[in-house]
Amino acid sequence: MTEEEFDAFYATAFPRLTGQLYAFTADHGEAQDVVQEAFVRAWDRRREFLADGAPEAWIRTVAMRLAVSRWRRARRWLELVRRNPPPDHVPGPGPEHATLVAALRTLPEPQRMAIVLHHLCDLSVEQVASETGAPVGTVKARLSRGRAALARELSAGDADSADPAGTGEREDNRVR
């Protein structure tokens, strides 16, 4: 089957197969997905299709098997969730986390990337360099500058929250 013949076959068979699979799956979007996936798999076999004599049957069979596989995966996932339900209430991020994220947003993107990869993803300096495409020395500089900027940002935030009235009274080197 040539590309043009395959395109014509697709145009005529896709709606019919989608209707058949819709009747099987009861989900139109799912039916379209599995028929499309079956056609993608058929594309590599298009030269053999005329010799087989039943290309639509082949695609229908593949699409049905795909639909059954997806249904089984969904059922297994549902069983897993039922056995291990998520907690009723998952607390959101605390104020420290929100403060850290806000401080990270003030950093230039390369410094922020280095800080996140190194300190939050636990990558070594060499791994950060590999992922970002920057030399090791540059990553070390970004980490150093980023940590210094974060320290300034976070200490400025502490000073603001410790002295909301802005009186600036100091006791033991801390604003009270």
Side-chain angles (χ1 to χ4, degrees), residues 11 16 27-28 38 72 82 84 107 110 139 142 147 162:
R16 186 172 42 252
D27 182 335
H28 192 259
R72 286 179 180 152
R82 283 182 180 156
N84 303 314
L107 296 178
V139 171
R142 288 175 181 168
R147 283 189 291 254

Side-chain angles (χ1 to χ4, degrees), residues 92-106 150 153-154:
E96 299 85 15
H97 182 80
T99 303
L100 177 61
V101 169
L104 280 167
R105 286 185 182 150
T106 65
L150 274 178
E153 186 70 28
L154 292 172

Side-chain angles (χ1 to χ4, degrees), residues 27-124:
D27 182 335
H28 192 259
E30 181 72 12
Q32 288 177 322
D33 286 349
V34 295
V35 171
Q36 184 66 36
E37 177 65 26
F39 269 103
V40 167
R41 293 180 182 192
W43 177 255
D44 292 332
R45 302 179 55 128
R46 68 185 179 280
R47 301 213 191 307
E48 306 157 13
F49 262 25
L50 285 180
D52 290 345
E56 192 168 327
W58 187 90
I59 290 177
R60 182 176 29 261
T61 301
V62 170
M64 295 276 267
R65 288 178 180 164
L66 287 168
V68 168
S69 293
R70 287 181 175 196
W71 181 79
R72 286 179 180 152
R73 266 194 308 270
R75 190 179 69 191
R76 280 193 302 267
W77 180 84
L78 185 59
E79 289 170 0
L80 177 67
V81 169
R82 283 182 180 156
R83 276 184 273 153
N84 303 314
D88 290 336
H89 175 67
V90 177
E96 299 85 15
H97 182 80
T99 303
L100 177 61
V101 169
L104 280 167
R105 286 185 182 150
T106 65
L107 296 178
E109 192 268 332
Q111 288 178 7
R112 183 172 57 243
M113 178 75 73
I115 294 282
V116 168
L117 290 174
H118 184 66
H119 292 289
L120 300 179
C121 298
D122 292 325
L123 298 182
S124 68

